[in-house]
Each structure stands twice: as C-alpha cells, then as structure tokens.
Amino acid sequence: MVKQRVIETNEGIQGELDVEIFNEFAKVMRDKGWNNVDSFIAEGITKGTVLEIGPGPGLIGLEWLKKTQNAGLTALEISNTMIRIAKRNAEDYGFSDKVRYVNGNALEMPFEDGSFDGIFSNGSIHEWEKPVKVLNEIYRTLKPGGIFCISDMRRDVNPLIVKMIYASTKPKEIRPGFMSSLHAAYTVNEMTELLRNTEFQNFKVEKEFFGLKVTGKK
Ligand SMILES: C[S@@+](CC[C@H](N)C(=O)[O-])C[C@H]1O[C@@H](n2cnc3c(N)ncnc32)[C@H](O)[C@@H]1O
C-alpha cells in the first residue's frame, strides 16, 4: 500500500544553505551520469529553442547543452538563490552565452504561446503547486509538433531500493530532503491521471527503476 502524498514545498528551494547542499548533491549525480539528459535527447529534444523548468543549480541543462548543437536554452526557476548558483555553474562550463535564466513561476510562464521546440524538466514536478496548470502552460508555450519530457522520482518505488539509494546519497545533509521529495512524488497512476486532465492528447507515462518519465507532443 503506497502512503498518501505529502506536499514538500510550493515555493521551490529558496534557502541559502539548502541551495549549496543541493548543488553539491547535483554534482554527485552528474558525475554518476544520473541526470536523464540522455533521455531528453533520445525523446528528440536536441535542437532549437528549448525550455528547462526548475533547473535548480543548472547542471542538467548545462550537460544537455554540452551534448547538443544548434540549441539555445532558457531555464525558468522560481528561486533566485538557485539562479545565482546556476549562473556560477554556467560560467564554469563556459556556457554563459548559451543559457538564459529567468526568475518566475512555471504556473504562469512569462513566455508567448508557441515559443519552444522542446521543454524538459527533472526532479521538479513534485514541487509544482498545481501540476495540471503547469502542464497546460507547457502545452501553450510549445510550438505545434513540439516535444516535452519530464522525469522525476516516483513514490511507489520498492522500499528496498529506497533504502539502498538513501544510504548512498551524498552529501548526507541532503538525505532528509531526498525523503521529503520522495513523499511528495507522484505514482505512475497519479501522474497518468494528471496528464489526462491537461490539453495533451498525445502523451506517455513510463515507470523507470527509481522514477518515472512523462513524454508528449503538442
Ligand atoms: C529538486 S530541484 C531539481 C533541480 C534540477 N532540475 C535537478 O534535477 O538537479 C527542483 C527545482 O525546481 C524549482 N521549482 C519548484 N517549483 C517551481 C515552479 N513552480 N516554477 C519554477 N521552478 C520551480 C525549485 O526551486 C528547484 O530549484
């Protein structure tokens, strides 16, 4: 029996210390190659004008830029503290001219209709106050034929896998946040239901080893 979902935050990750710890964690994940960048590329988000939602410290978008060509990235982030770290990371990658960080809430995206060829997001949807609203914003801001891909944890993961991943998650200080994110994450069935309530006709929700992946086309 899967426990009830528990909301983690409706404001993103704002605290100075939390952000630095998250940045350290994101670097560990990047170095292990656990960042879903290959998945976004495999789904066809490879070029053009692309949006990332909830980049946090930005490493996923920066790794995506490293693996793609003829691409420009806009990254929409609710936390200014995260944007500061993301800009620092973009400078370290030498990609400051390829990425634009925008401070804002994905519930009301500050972009025109049909702005993007592709939209991706990792580990953020469980924090969105109204996910259906954001998914409809994704629909609105995609060009016709545009693709989106969202990856996240899933709450219905095998408890033994949770124990194993919890014990190996570094730095240690991120572990309580790891658990609260897991408790806020959706199951595959819940995510499918969310998508059914959006304007997307063409979507797929897939179960992965530790998480889930949602893909769709406008
Ligand atoms: C758990 S972090 C994941 C960061 C990054 N995508 C990664 O996987 O390393 C989630 C990020 O989404 C941002 N976020 C949460 N709700 C948001 C919203 N409504 N609009 C924009 N960003 C949001 C948070 O501030 C945080 O930086």
Side-chain angles (χ1 to χ4, degrees), residues 12-13 22 26 52 54-56 60 76-79 82 104-107 122-124 127-128:
I13 305 178
F22 194 89
E52 178 179 12
I60 291 185
L76 179 69
E77 171 55 62
I78 199 170
S79 160
M82 277 293 191
N105 191 335
L107 267 74
N122 182 67
S124 186
E127 295 182 4
W128 302 345

Side-chain angles (χ1 to χ4, degrees), residues 106-130:
L107 267 74
E108 283 179 22
M109 295 202 208
F111 308 117
E112 302 279 311
D113 297 0
S115 295
F116 301 106
D117 298 290
I119 299 182
F120 64 79
S121 179
N122 182 67
S124 186
I125 191 169
H126 68 268
E127 295 182 4
W128 302 345
E129 187 181 354
K130 293 180 182 162

